[in-house]
Amino acid sequence: MNILVFAEVRDGKLKKSSLETLSEAVRLAGPLGGKVGVALVGEGVKAHAETLGKYGAARVFVAESPRLKYYASEAVAKAVVAAHQKLGSGAILMAATSMGRDLAGGVAALLGTGAAADCTGVSIEGGKVRARRPVYSGKVYATVAFKKSPAVVSLRPNVFLAKEVGGAAALEDLAVVFEDADFRSAAREVAATSQGKVELTEASVIVSGGRGLQSPENFKIRDELASVLHAAVGASRAVVDNGWRPHSEQVGQTGKTVAPNLYIALGISGAIQHLAGMRTSKVIVAINKDPDAPIFKAATYGVVGDAMEIVPALTQTLKKVLAS
Ligand SMILES: Cc1cc2nc3c(=O)[nH]c(=O)nc-3n(C[C@H](O)[C@H](O)[C@H](O)COP(=O)(O)OP(=O)(O)OC[C@H]3O[C@@H](n4cnc5c(N)ncnc54)[C@H](O)[C@@H]3O)c2cc1C
């Protein structure tokens, strides 16, 4: 079975989550003797084909247009479908970013097939694709099958390992003609909220703060710890609702879904809606003064104590350890 991957380019860079998705496609296609193709769609994106080849893409299908400077659902979906038709793929994979989640539905609708969003596992046996995905805010995992082919699957960022395998992809232009009707909905402008900082959904380390940090000023202890660890910063909804931190930092059911290698929760109770956004993190460290806080049930390591005392001490110690 051939597998098509959609590669997302943001600010001129290939998303790490797209490389993770590509590596997973390579891992799945290998035993099946299938080829992995990549749809590369946007403005001036062709140069990324070389990197995609290094990560195992055999064919890269390019659709470029100045009108695709920003994401346009229908136009990009049309190009992905054109790439799928060239490759003859049995599965179409993309990262479950905001763009990927939107695109998966559009591609599935165009092809009259089904889409599974935010998956943490994929298997292909006997030509049948199965996807594992968290449901009920991550309390349960469901394994879903597809009635029709191709299966459209978006993969949760930071769950799969991106691995360079060496190689070069054949570059093929997709002769897609974009029409005005393909741009009925399109982004006109992108206002970056996290310029210069590590993007939350791509980060491998995240330090998040909750209401237990007590005031907006105290978030500097979160930021200092994050800076030492080159981490992204997150927050609970309680602090976002209080206006202490912007919504772009919110982790959880109504915020961002993250799955870093390390998630440090400072003064966060661990409500189910917060856990929904971070419980698939590989290692969770919780600092909370209440030994019965639900976050400790999800945590790999827990420290019971006052974050205002522990965090500055931890930051100082890490500074010394990382400098030596
Ligand atoms: C539909 C819906 C959607 C929601 N979506 C989200 C979402 O996306 N993300 C989200 O986070 N929440 C979400 N919530 C809210 C969620 O239910 C919780 O209210 C919220 O997560 C609580 O935030 P918190 O843990 O910071 O605050 P609190 O629940 O007030 O917890 C603060 C914690 O800090 C500890 N603490 C206090 N002082 C200290 C100290 N000095 N040192 C260490 N620890 C201390 C306390 O023991 C406590 O455990 C949603 C709720 C609903 C109903």
Side-chain angles (χ1 to χ4, degrees):
M1 182 191 287
N2 292 335
I3 302 178
L4 181 72
V5 172
F6 168 72
E8 187 174 332
V9 178
R10 273 282 174 101
D11 300 326
K13 286 194 200 118
L14 264 178
K15 281 254 191 187
K16 178 175 143 253
S17 49
S18 291
L19 295 175
E20 293 165 7
T21 307
L22 173 55
S23 291
E24 183 60 9
V26 170
R27 190 190 68 75
L28 288 165
L32 307 169
K35 288 226 155 25
V36 175
V38 175
L40 192 53
V41 187
E43 186 199 35
V45 288
K46 207 176 254 180
H48 297 294
E50 196 184 326
T51 307
L52 295 167
K54 285 187 188 151
Y55 280 82
R59 298 167 73 181
V60 174
F61 305 98
V62 182
E64 289 190 319
S65 164
R67 296 182 80 177
L68 287 169
K69 180 172 182 202
Y70 299 123
Y71 177 65
S73 298
E74 288 160 287
V76 176
K78 184 176 178 179
V80 171
V81 168
H84 155 72
Q85 279 156 354
K86 273 198 147 187
L87 182 67
S89 41
I92 302 177
L93 268 47
M94 55 201 77
T97 56
S98 310
M99 193 191 288
R101 285 164 188 245
D102 178 81
L103 183 64
V107 169
L110 283 179
L111 294 169
T113 181
D118 202 23
C119 299
T120 54
V122 187
S123 65
I124 305 175
E125 270 170 47
K128 297 251 182 272
V129 179
R130 287 201 154 73
R132 190 170 188 263
R133 58 184 301 270
V135 289
Y136 301 124
S137 301
K139 275 200 152 180
V140 185
Y141 282 88
T143 301
V144 295
F146 296 81
K147 284 187 180 160
K148 292 188 181 165
S149 176
V152 181
V153 184
S154 68
L155 301 186
R156 181 173 279 200
N158 284 321
V159 170
F160 302 91
L161 190 72
K163 195 172 163 214
E164 252 190 76
V165 288
L171 198 64
E172 298 171 46
D173 278 322
L174 282 175
V176 186
V177 180
F178 293 111
E179 291 151 12
D180 285 348
D182 299 324
F183 294 89
R184 286 183 299 182
S185 69
R188 290 193 174 171
E189 193 189 341
V190 174
T193 51
S194 57
Q195 230 157 16
K197 290 192 209 152
V198 186
E199 161 63 25
L200 198 53
T201 52
E202 295 266 307
S204 59
V205 182
I206 294 173
V207 184
S208 270
R211 191 149 46 189
L213 294 186
Q214 294 156 14
S215 75
E217 295 73 38
N218 287 344
F219 273 72
K220 70 172 188 300
I221 68 166
R222 175 201 67 166
D223 296 348
E224 281 163 6
L225 177 57
S227 156
V228 171
L229 293 170
H230 302 293
V233 289
S236 70
R237 174 159 161 181
V239 306
V240 172
D241 285 352
N242 278 355
W244 295 359
R245 299 304 312 162
H247 183 260
S248 57
E249 289 182 8
Q250 186 181 315
V251 172
Q253 190 182 318
T254 43
K256 289 185 174 148
T257 303
V258 299
N261 292 327
L262 173 62
Y263 187 89
I264 305 179
L266 313 175
I268 293 179
S269 57
I272 179 72
Q273 296 91 353
H274 188 81
L275 296 179
M278 44 62 78
R279 73 184 328 152
T280 53
S281 304
K282 292 200 179 73
V283 173
I284 297 170
V285 176
I287 301 175
N288 195 305
K289 68 176 188 189
D290 174 7
D292 296 322
I295 190 79
F296 288 129
K297 291 211 175 84
T300 325
Y301 301 100
V303 183
V304 178
D306 185 347
M308 302 312 300
E309 285 173 18
I310 294 165
V311 178
L314 180 64
T315 304
Q316 288 315 316
T317 308
L318 280 169
K319 256 188 200 163
K320 279 187 209 141
V321 171
L322 293 172
S324 65

